[in-house]
Amino acid sequence: MMKKNITYYTLFLFLVVFSSCDDDFLDLEPQNAVSEASVWTDLNLIELYVNDRYNELPHGFTQWAGGLRLTGITDESYHMHEARFLDKYTKGGLTSGSLNMYYFNGFWLDAYRAIRNNNIFLEKITNYQGSETSKIKQFTAEVRFLRAFFYTELISRYGGVPLVENTFDLNSDFQVSRASFQECVEFIIKELDAAIVDLPNRSDVLEGSFGRLTKGAAIGLKIRALMFDASPLFNVHNDKTKWQLVADACEELFSLNQYSLSSDYKGLFLNPMDSEVIFFKQFIDEYGPIIVDEPSDSYYHFTGGSKIDEWRFPNGDAGWVSENPRQEFVDQYETITGVIPVLGYGGNPNNLIQIVNPNARPVYNQSRPYENRDPRMGYSILFDGAEFKNRELEFWWGGKDSRNPDVDNSFNGSRLGYGIRKFLDESWSVEELGGSDQPWVYMRLSEFYLTYAEAQFQLGNMAIAVNYVNQIRGRTGVNMPPIDASGDLLEKIKHERKIELAFEGNRWYDARRWRDAEVDFAKDIVGVEIIKNQSNGNKSYRHFYFEGGTGNRSFPENHYVWPIPIEEILKSNLKQNPGY
């Protein structure tokens, strides 16, 4: 998360314990290593230690699924290169074993490793006796945020987890029970409230410290934790006081006056300095290593830089396409008149008939389905006929971006007729040897406008809810018609969140916290085959169930939380989540 031109260092601490001896030379400081005692008395070394903690943050640009790259296990997209692993999740077959959770349960181990490193800092920093107390307070606040981040991610996956606030030694009791979900939330909020006091504002770090954590990021994480606590998955009795806490935290963020909605929806994902971006992870133009399969756990651990452009570019530009947006998700993008154009499919599984919303005509034309649509569709999705890298994409059969075997790189052609455009840097080319350097955006202001709208809906303040949704829809570059409070307003808010935050990692969390995943994630995948008439250039569209029919997807009740790794269960007194 450091600025691109900042050099990254990895700090290795070498602690050598000697038995008692009278030889004086054994008391000398080593010349080729940094002693542990030296670290906590030197401000520069302390800063390097904290910088290394930033590197432990997961992100959504991992090579395969895992980390925060979760779109392939939602109703947004199909990850065509990783079906053999992801099918266990998308078809209701999860177990606690390492094979079924290969891409996902490594996070449990990575999170607790990071928490341990954060605990080391919080225990050792008291040894610092220098005069830079304000800097130490800021570093301490950053580390408390990072520890809270991992706990927030853990509880959103597993429910209540062990709260480990100290490091262990050989005499420690390693049997730490799971805290309740509520206890975890209270701990996270307490940590973040303490961190907020000593973190700078965004305006204070725009120069040499740009990229360091800010008050806005800490309040944003606080909102997320409170939102999960207030949502139906854990707030089974719909305690409205929890929604009030969410609304209050959103107002705390807005009152900073540090952020504003972007007028460049497409470009903000390449620009961490955009006024909408609150929290991000920056990459430098290097890459590797790729995968670490640790012998101790046999899970996937991604480290190193990112090549997200190669992994998501169309095959016509030597990319992998990887996650293919699903047709039924593409259908969710409204017409420019504010109407969802396609309501579903029927008929022959290999030649489906679209159920077109009559209110979408005549703006929606099945022969030109990508015209007159919400501009965010063009900013987020690669589709046939779209302009990309100064050319027109050709997903039609035989086109440059198709799977026709006569086409170069055809094996990487999209299986569903689409690719993900959001986050891509069109200046990338396959000749580049390094990695991608666009940031992974964890948080931006529009997310919290929508969270605030949802909280205000739950509190009965419909006009406020509508206003905050419409600020997002009406901003420059999007200019979608406003919604009103008629009908199912909560469904409108959910829909706006689905479209606005598409492919950013939020959908997996949202559908689960709403308890909508049993329906939404169990829907069968629809793809499109495009045939171009070479004589007149006209195109026809054949829609089909990708897996041959219906009933192939499922989301059982127990999938709302993940299984704790079986290795952890076998060596401890931890109680496994129900259904595993």
Side-chain angles (χ1 to χ4, degrees):
M1 190 175 156
M2 299 292 94
K3 196 174 181 181
K4 182 178 176 181
N5 63 351
I6 294 177
T7 305
Y8 286 80
Y9 298 90
T10 300
L11 179 65
F12 295 94
L13 305 180
F14 296 91
L15 177 61
V16 181
V17 180
F18 296 102
S19 59
S20 59
C21 182
D22 291 332
D23 293 337
D24 291 340
F25 75 89
L26 290 179
D27 295 327
L28 295 175
E29 288 285 336
Q31 299 301 304
N32 61 347
V34 179
S35 71
E36 183 183 26
S38 298
V39 171
W40 307 111
T41 60
D42 186 309
L43 187 66
N44 291 326
L45 294 178
I46 290 170
E47 183 172 7
L48 290 177
Y49 185 89
V50 175
N51 290 354
D52 217 29
R53 306 287 69 76
Y54 278 76
N55 292 336
E56 293 168 336
L57 284 166
H59 58 82
F61 290 159
T62 56
Q63 181 168 2
W64 309 117
L68 302 185
R69 191 171 179 179
L70 299 165
T71 179
I73 56 173
T74 73
D75 55 352
E76 291 179 326
S77 69
Y78 171 78
H79 199 315
M80 68 180 196
H81 295 304
E82 292 306 304
R84 65 189 185 278
F85 289 109
L86 303 191
D87 277 356
K88 289 294 184 180
Y89 189 95
T90 59
K91 296 186 177 182
L94 279 188
T95 68
S96 59
S98 59
L99 178 60
N100 287 349
M101 291 296 293
Y102 173 66
Y103 280 125
F104 301 109
N105 262 350
F107 179 79
W108 173 283
L109 305 165
D110 294 338
Y112 276 107
R113 184 182 296 114
I115 288 168
R116 178 182 182 276
N117 289 334
N118 292 326
N119 287 340
I120 289 173
F121 175 92
L122 294 172
E123 289 177 0
K124 298 292 186 180
I125 197 59
T126 56
N127 294 331
Y128 179 74
Q129 301 298 319
S131 60
E132 297 284 346
T133 55
S134 62
K135 202 69 177 174
I136 294 299
K137 286 182 179 180
Q138 181 182 340
F139 291 152
T140 301
E142 292 176 12
V143 169
R144 295 182 87 162
F145 170 96
L146 294 168
R147 184 169 66 171
F149 178 92
F150 282 102
Y151 275 121
T152 303
E153 289 294 325
L154 282 167
I155 65 172
S156 69
R157 288 163 166 76
Y158 301 100
V161 297
L163 284 176
V164 182
E165 300 181 52
N166 304 293
T167 57
F168 293 122
D169 58 32
L170 293 178
N171 298 316
S172 298
D173 181 3
F174 292 91
Q175 298 298 322
V176 181
S177 299
R178 296 177 68 174
S180 69
F181 180 84
Q182 194 63 49
E183 289 170 334
C184 292
V185 171
E186 291 171 0
F187 173 78
I188 290 166
I189 302 307
K190 175 177 67 72
E191 289 292 287
L192 291 171
D193 280 340
I196 289 165
V197 174
D198 293 316
L199 287 172
N201 271 314
R202 176 181 182 271
S203 57
D204 298 325
V205 296
L206 286 178
E207 299 302 327
S209 296
F210 183 64
R212 301 204 80 88
L213 287 162
T214 62
K215 292 182 187 294
I219 298 172
L221 184 59
K222 176 180 172 180
I223 294 169
R224 285 185 174 177
L226 290 170
M227 179 183 66
F228 243 85
D229 189 35
S231 297
L233 182 60
F234 293 106
N235 186 13
V236 294
H237 300 297
N238 196 19
D239 180 353
K240 297 297 185 181
T241 63
K242 294 188 174 186
W243 284 110
Q244 186 61 59
L245 292 174
V246 175
D248 291 345
C250 288
E251 291 170 6
E252 182 183 4
L253 175 64
F254 304 157
S255 69
L256 295 177
N257 294 317
Q258 296 287 308
Y259 309 98
S260 60
L261 293 177
S262 178
S263 60
D264 184 9
Y265 185 92
K266 178 184 176 183
L268 76 88
F269 299 100
L270 304 179
N271 178 19
M273 297 191 73
D274 189 285
S275 63
E276 186 168 327
V277 175
I278 296 173
F279 176 35
F280 66 95
K281 186 183 183 78
Q282 184 68 64
F283 298 90
I284 55 178
D285 190 15
E286 61 182 39
Y287 175 67
I290 304 173
I291 298 173
V292 179
D293 282 318
E294 297 191 4
S296 61
D297 62 64
S298 299
Y299 290 111
Y300 167 80
H301 301 266
F302 182 90
T303 60
S306 158
K307 279 191 174 181
I308 195 62
D309 293 308
E310 180 179 3
W311 302 332
R312 283 186 175 164
F313 256 51
N315 58 307
D317 291 296
W320 300 7
V321 183
S322 293
E323 296 104 329
N324 305 172
R326 295 163 55 156
Q327 177 66 58
E328 67 275 22
F329 189 82
V330 175
D331 294 336
Q332 291 296 301
Y333 285 88
E334 300 170 10
T335 63
I336 56 174
T337 55
V339 178
I340 297 174
V342 179
L343 302 178
Y345 292 84
N348 185 335
N350 291 315
N351 192 13
L352 295 166
I353 299 172
Q354 283 189 327
I355 303 171
V356 177
N357 187 338
N359 296 322
R361 299 187 189 278
V363 175
Y364 177 71
N365 186 331
Q366 288 174 278
S367 298
R368 295 189 295 276
Y370 310 125
E371 295 180 1
N372 301 320
R373 302 290 288 275
D374 184 330
R376 290 173 293 187
M377 186 177 86
Y379 301 148
S380 304
I381 294 176
L382 299 168
F383 54 82
D384 183 69
E387 290 293 323
F388 186 78
K389 285 186 71 70
N390 300 313
R391 70 178 182 88
E392 188 176 284
L393 292 175
E394 301 176 351
F395 284 105
W396 47 269
W397 184 252
K400 187 176 182 179
D401 306 295
S402 73
R403 292 184 66 84
N404 186 308
D406 295 331
V407 172
D408 290 341
N409 202 25
S410 62
F411 56 90
N412 274 330
S414 174
R415 292 180 178 273
L416 301 185
Y418 300 101
I420 295 176
R421 184 174 198 154
K422 186 178 281 188
F423 290 108
L424 295 185
D425 181 354
E426 292 184 39
S427 68
W428 178 86
S429 68
V430 69
E431 288 80 17
E432 296 184 19
L433 299 178
S436 299
D437 59 7
Q438 59 265 55
W440 170 254
V441 178
Y442 293 100
M443 300 176 189
R444 56 190 182 93
L445 186 61
S446 62
E447 173 191 339
F448 300 110
Y449 272 27
L450 290 169
T451 300
Y452 189 58
E454 185 178 344
Q456 292 296 348
F457 168 85
Q458 295 291 347
L459 296 170
N461 302 318
M462 306 307 174
I464 298 175
V466 167
N467 176 44
Y468 274 81
V469 172
N470 285 336
Q471 287 188 56
I472 291 171
R473 291 172 65 87
R475 71 190 186 275
T476 302
V478 175
N479 302 116
M480 287 294 289
I483 66 166
D484 57 36
S486 64
D488 191 341
L489 179 55
L490 180 59
E491 189 57 39
K492 293 178 182 179
I493 294 170
K494 289 180 178 180
H495 179 266
E496 189 64 24
R497 195 172 176 99
K498 181 192 301 184
I499 297 302
E500 173 68 19
L501 305 176
F503 314 118
E504 296 176 42
N506 299 72
R507 179 65 182 156
W508 182 72
Y509 299 91
D510 284 342
R512 290 168 48 251
R513 68 179 178 85
W514 291 327
R515 295 191 67 89
D516 290 347
E518 287 172 84
V519 174
D520 291 350
F521 290 0
K523 293 177 180 177
D524 293 285
I525 298 174
V526 177
V528 63
E529 180 187 48
I530 304 169
I531 305 299
K532 181 178 181 179
N533 185 317
Q534 295 298 325
S535 61
N536 60 22
N538 291 337
K539 296 174 183 177
S540 60
Y541 301 83
R542 179 181 71 87
H543 298 95
F544 57 93
Y545 280 124
F546 174 66
E547 292 162 318
T550 60
N552 291 295
R553 306 263 126 181
S554 65
F555 190 94
E557 170 78 15
N558 66 314
H559 278 30
Y560 277 110
V561 291
W562 279 347
I564 294 173
I566 187 63
E567 298 84 357
E568 297 294 299
I569 296 296
L570 294 176
K571 68 183 182 183
S572 69
N573 62 359
L574 294 180
K575 184 178 180 180
Q576 183 59 279
N577 281 323
Y580 298 109

